[in-house]
Amino acid sequence: MPKRTLASLEGARLDGQRALTRVDFNVPIKDGRVTDSTRIHAALPTIRYLREKGARVILCSHLGRPKGGPDPRFSLQPVAHALEIELGAPVVFIPDPAAPGAVTITKRLPRGGVALLENSRFHPGEEANDPALARIYAGLGDLYVNDAFGSAHRAHATTEGVAHLIKPAVSGFLMERELKYLGEALSAPARPFVAILGGAKISGKIDLIEALLPKVDTIVIGGAMACTFFKAMGLETGTSLVEPDRVDMARALLQRSGGKIILPGGAVIAQELSGSAPTRSVARDAIPAGWAVYDIDEPSGEAFAAIVSGARTAIWNGPMGVFETPPFDRGTRRVAMAMAAAAKAGAVTVVGGGDSAAAVAEAGVADQMTHVSTGGGASLEFLEGKPLPGVLALDDMQGP
Ligand code: ADP
Ligand code: MG
């Protein structure tokens, strides 16, 4: 069932109303300054729309993992300043939603005014999804907007609990976009439908492979994950990152895959993980003891790129190698370029996963993709077919 969207609400439901809006302002902060504003930018369309419609915008978010209470290192105060600059308008900071004056502040905001609440994780009730805390947040809004896709896989007070207490409870523009692109890729993919999977550990992606196998035409696997499959094929993997307790599972997956799983034919290897270490390019059955796989080799990159360019839907989760350490970024870059080219040729290309999104941005092709998900863990769980509590709790399209 599609979820009710902010865009579907009539102006009268917004004008003068207090919109408690859950955003993902979990941004990197150094010396009291926001060092990467990507997530703030991602929330701006919803914030601007609400302001234009005359709503009073009360924003809430978590930031980092503060332990057991308020901690100035995890304050959202620097984000309030960054947001003021983005909006060119004052942002009222509310240090505590439970303080007696908080409700009054929200009611006294001018139409189109913006307030930001302090880090929701300063309250233990946030992660415990404590109904008492959810009620406190609910007192600060006349409607609820969830634009924090990246937190939607967590049933917390500001993502799930509060959505049951304020009606209407709708998705913001970013959330709507995420659900549309990830959802369409899974439910009605143009074929061939190809998944490109990589990253460090197969253990974190088993559910993903299982969920995608029946849906896709091909799964291309790179990254360290491929090494566990190599091991399952009886190949020498040297000092590569292999998960010994997943080898049997990898073997079973290969047997069940009906030929859908494509592994790299070769790898770029080194004796240590360093940009200056001597490297070799070898076939996958020629990995010597003492060497580790840090990237797919060039022929594999070309082969993967060819598969991607034949796709009409391609979803990508997990880099092909240790892309943070050049020259082991080449396979990942090759796939990023192939995804961009496929999108240009009319394919739907979707990137999910924090490191994959970073790799695509680094390759300079993020804006050429159909969609780059802002939610790492959330996009993974969504692609695994798991219901996201923060989405489930929103009104259905034909809601009250
Ligand atoms: P995402 O965040 O996109 O879901 P993951 O977190 O699963 O991706 O994996 C990303 C990590 O995988 C990166 O830090 C990268 O260095 C690592 N990785 C990829 N290939 C290898 C490899 N061959 N050996 C060790 N680490 C690898
Ligand atoms: Mg990651």
Side-chain angles (χ1 to χ4, degrees), residues 198-202 204-205 208 222-227 239-242 267-268 273 292-296 316-325 328 332 351-359 375-377 379-380:
K201 292 194 168 171
I202 181 175
K205 309 239 165 134
L208 183 61
M225 259 169 81
C227 300
T239 52
S240 302
L241 180 55
V242 168
V268 176
L273 179 54
V293 170
Y294 291 127
D295 198 6
I296 57 174
W316 181 16
N317 179 289
M320 297 292 101
V322 187
F323 74 103
E324 305 94 330
T325 312
F328 307 115
T332 301
V351 181
D355 291 291
S356 315
S379 61
L380 191 62

Side-chain angles (χ1 to χ4, degrees), residues 227-247:
C227 300
T228 300
F229 284 97
F230 290 167
K231 193 93 189 166
M233 294 157 69
L235 303 176
E236 169 68 52
T237 49
T239 52
S240 302
L241 180 55
V242 168
E243 289 173 276
D245 55 335
R246 303 291 161 155
V247 171

Side-chain angles (χ1 to χ4, degrees), residues 3-24:
K3 290 297 177 179
R4 200 173 191 188
T5 61
L6 174 57
S8 75
L9 296 184
E10 298 140 37
R13 302 206 74 151
L14 301 175
D15 190 18
Q17 302 297 302
R18 296 171 306 150
L20 179 71
T21 306
R22 179 54 157 98
V23 290
D24 180 3

Side-chain angles (χ1 to χ4, degrees), residues 230-231 235-240 267-272 278-293:
F230 290 167
K231 193 93 189 166
L235 303 176
E236 169 68 52
T237 49
T239 52
S240 302
V268 176
I269 58 170
Q271 283 176 297
E272 56 168 329
T279 64
R280 285 170 59 189
S281 219
V282 296
R284 67 187 181 197
D285 58 0
I287 300 165
W291 291 67
V293 170

Side-chain angles (χ1 to χ4, degrees), residues 104-146:
T104 315
I105 295 176
T106 62
K107 291 196 167 152
R108 288 203 182 142
L109 272 182
R111 289 169 67 252
V114 181
L116 173 62
L117 287 153
E118 180 58 287
N119 191 347
S120 57
R121 287 196 186 163
F122 284 0
H123 309 273
E126 165 72 331
E127 289 176 83
N129 200 5
D130 176 4
L133 183 64
R135 269 195 299 279
I136 287 170
Y137 278 99
L140 304 176
D142 307 308
L143 72 143
Y144 174 73
V145 181
N146 191 343

Side-chain angles (χ1 to χ4, degrees), residues 361-388:
E362 239 159 73
V365 292
D367 56 356
Q368 295 175 43
M369 301 296 167
T370 308
H371 181 62
V372 181
S373 178
T374 55
S379 61
L380 191 62
E381 292 198 17
F382 188 94
L383 293 173
E384 287 168 357
K386 295 182 181 149
L388 306 181

Side-chain angles (χ1 to χ4, degrees), residues 39-182:
R39 286 181 169 157
I40 297 177
H41 291 158
L44 289 178
T46 291
I47 298 171
R48 291 202 171 116
Y49 181 84
L50 286 166
R51 297 188 68 210
E52 275 163 25
K53 297 289 176 187
R56 303 172 156 90
V57 189
I58 295 98
L59 301 165
C60 63
S61 174
H62 78 283
L63 173 68
R65 298 179 183 277
K67 298 238 154 35
D71 176 341
R73 287 174 304 162
F74 295 99
S75 175
L76 275 169
Q77 184 95 58
V79 177
H81 295 307
L83 187 60
E84 284 187 327
I85 293 165
E86 296 289 347
L87 295 174
V91 173
V92 179
F93 190 70
I94 306 179
D96 183 358
V103 174
T104 315
I105 295 176
T106 62
K107 291 196 167 152
R108 288 203 182 142
L109 272 182
R111 289 169 67 252
V114 181
L116 173 62
L117 287 153
E118 180 58 287
N119 191 347
S120 57
R121 287 196 186 163
F122 284 0
H123 309 273
E126 165 72 331
E127 289 176 83
N129 200 5
D130 176 4
L133 183 64
R135 269 195 299 279
I136 287 170
Y137 278 99
L140 304 176
D142 307 308
L143 72 143
Y144 174 73
V145 181
N146 191 343
D147 215 20
F149 177 75
S151 303
H153 58 316
R154 313 251 186 251
H156 292 170
T158 63
T159 62
E160 204 271 348
V162 73
H164 297 290
L165 303 176
I166 310 182
K167 296 295 161 192
V170 301
S171 59
F173 293 118
L174 175 62
M175 176 74 91
E176 184 186 350
R177 218 179 120 74
E178 294 274 6
L179 296 175
K180 171 180 155 64
Y181 285 114
L182 294 172

